[in-house]
Amino acid sequence: MQTQLFCAKTQKENGTSLGGRIIRNGGLVAFPTETVYGLGANGLDGEAVNKIFEAKGRPNDNPLILHIAKKSDVKQLWKHIPDEARRLMDAFWPGPLTIIYLKSDIVPDEVTAGLDTVAVRMPDNKTALALIRAAGVPIAAPSANLSGKPSPTTAEHVLEDMDGRIDMVLDGGPCRVGVESTVISLVGKPRILRPGGITKEMLEQVIGTVEVSAAVLNPLPEGAKAESPGMKHKHYSPDCDVLVALGEPKTAANIIIREYGIAENDGKSCIIFATEQTKGYYRGKKYVIIGDRDQPETLCANLFDALREESHGVDIIFAEGIPTDHEGLAYMNRLLRAAGFTVLDK
Ligand code: AMP
Ligand code: MG
């Protein structure tokens, strides 16, 4: 299969209308969103949806998110719209918030992996919305990477993983948020299954108390059932080890400096994910600045790109933990998963 690349900015009309046609005809199109690039198929066509799992090598017990272009489209996908969902949709759609609720009969089992609930979101990206409108159907889309790899935040990342496996990539430049959407379940008490750009604090301002699944910051205990099937699968892993140091900035930096030295003596090639606040500690060592600890959204925006780009020819990436409030929760969720929850001892 040949993968066509279209620049969404210069060829918008052409690209999204062609992409819409490919999707309606059962093909696969990767497209930009404000979070990461998605890999889309007709969300009402089980056979088309199966091609996503094949192209990604994604375990087929891991359900997909349906993407819509207008809020009212959710009516056909859920049994009904609960009041909390309505308030969240008004506050945060279009935007990086996915809402899980009881599915209607038109949603194929291939999308939900046989669950009786379905995840829906309206992305905040012009190209994504134009593509969904052109397709005329909800688009089922996970991140457009090979399963287990860091999610793609540029069209180049998508091609690295998907060239020859899908019909088309719409290039909309780098993604603004850089980590996947927040996933909240409204079946039972409101509960965050995956943190993202819409934070717990923001959600609570609209609907009151929101729980956070323990699996967000901890490995799933052996034999435990995942609330969200994605929790049990390997995720975001670059081609090298990732090790995380927790604690105050200076404490974390000291741990990293110590372990970097040991690894280097063992002949390993290392790089440190530093922050604006800690770069001074790492003079003479190989480091990149990921962002600003006081603005965790900057760390989120750069994490996946750095995991891909900096892992080439490197054995170990050392990274600092940050506080888990606001966007820090999404950052630590992705970082700890990329590290397989390997945290360095003090
Ligand atoms: P991705 O497609 O890579 O953005 O991942 C979507 C995430 O949402 C995965 O972690 C899925 O397991 C989760 N998800 C999607 N649909 C459901 C659902 N109906 N119930 C629970 N989790 C879901
Ligand atoms: Mg993914």
Side-chain angles (χ1 to χ4, degrees):
M1 180 189 291
Q2 207 189 346
T3 304
Q4 303 184 57
L5 177 66
F6 269 82
C7 178
K9 286 225 165 66
T10 55
Q11 297 164 292
K12 196 185 297 168
E13 283 315 313
N14 212 348
T16 51
S17 57
L18 176 59
R21 219 165 37 244
I22 292 175
I23 289 203
R24 253 201 326 279
N25 291 334
L28 299 183
V29 177
F31 60 98
T33 78
E34 79 281 29
T35 61
V36 301
Y37 275 72
L39 177 55
N42 180 347
L44 301 181
D45 173 353
E47 242 176 75
V49 168
N50 274 335
K51 292 184 191 165
I52 294 178
F53 289 90
E54 253 170 63
K56 281 182 59 100
R58 181 175 171 110
N60 60 8
D61 65 349
N62 194 4
L64 305 178
I65 295 168
L66 288 180
H67 294 71
I68 56 176
K70 58 179 196 301
K71 292 177 195 174
S72 58
D73 285 347
V74 79
K75 264 194 283 190
Q76 50 164 338
L77 304 174
W78 286 339
K79 281 230 154 93
H80 62 100
I81 306 179
D83 177 54
E84 279 158 340
R86 222 177 265 285
R87 294 193 341 246
L88 291 176
M89 285 157 54
D90 283 343
F92 301 116
W93 281 5
L97 177 69
T98 295
I99 305 176
I100 294 178
Y101 196 62
L102 300 172
K103 83 175 195 76
S104 74
D105 293 338
I106 68 161
V107 179
D109 283 342
E110 286 83 352
V111 169
T112 63
L115 298 173
D116 59 1
T117 54
V118 67
V120 185
R121 118 172 165 94
M122 179 178 173
D124 184 18
N125 176 289
K126 282 201 176 93
T127 305
L129 293 171
L131 178 71
I132 302 165
R133 274 194 296 269
V137 288
I139 295 187
S143 49
N145 50 285
L146 286 174
S147 194
K149 295 280 159 210
S151 299
T153 55
T154 65
E156 289 75 34
H157 296 165
V158 176
L159 285 173
E160 245 171 55
D161 282 13
M162 290 295 161
D163 199 9
R165 293 170 172 262
I166 62 178
D167 298 291
M168 183 182 192
V169 182
L170 284 168
D171 182 353
C175 301
R176 176 171 57 83
V177 179
V179 294
E180 304 85 343
S181 58
T182 303
V183 176
I184 186 169
S185 171
L186 294 181
V187 183
K189 283 190 191 152
R191 196 166 165 77
I192 293 175
L193 305 184
R194 177 176 75 187
I198 302 296
T199 63
K200 176 178 192 282
E201 292 84 351
M202 291 160 80
L203 293 166
E204 288 190 329
Q205 282 195 350
V206 178
I207 55 166
T209 308
V210 172
E211 297 174 351
V212 178
S213 168
V216 162
L217 291 177
N218 300 285
L220 203 62
E222 197 79 36
K225 187 174 177 298
E227 283 176 83
S228 179
M231 289 169 176
K232 64 174 188 258
H233 297 297
K234 184 165 170 268
H235 248 116
Y236 317 127
S237 314
D239 302 322
C240 68
D241 288 340
V242 180
L243 303 175
V244 181
L246 301 178
E248 292 300 311
K250 186 149 200 288
T251 312
N254 281 335
I255 298 170
I256 288 175
I257 291 163
R258 182 191 74 211
E259 295 294 327
Y260 185 110
I262 296 171
E264 218 178 27
N265 280 341
D266 285 349
K268 300 222 163 106
S269 161
C270 307
I271 189 160
I272 300 164
F273 284 7
T275 56
E276 290 297 344
Q277 287 79 357
T278 54
K279 61 188 179 198
Y281 296 125
Y282 301 125
R283 269 188 219 109
K285 310 220 157 15
K286 201 173 148 204
Y287 68 86
V288 282
I289 299 166
I290 302 295
D292 185 326
R293 292 176 69 100
D294 296 334
Q295 291 171 285
E297 66 276 17
T298 60
L299 300 168
C300 288
N302 293 325
L303 178 65
F304 287 142
D305 181 62
L307 285 172
R308 271 180 189 263
E309 298 302 325
E310 307 303 337
S311 62
H312 301 302
V314 160
D315 300 303
I316 306 176
I317 291 171
F318 291 102
E320 301 160 13
I322 63 163
T324 56
D325 49 2
H326 303 285
E327 289 87 350
L329 186 64
Y331 181 74
M332 288 307 290
N333 168 263
R334 305 311 190 278
L335 182 63
L336 286 168
R337 280 172 183 271
F341 293 96
T342 331
V343 171
L344 293 164
D345 288 332
K346 270 208 175 154

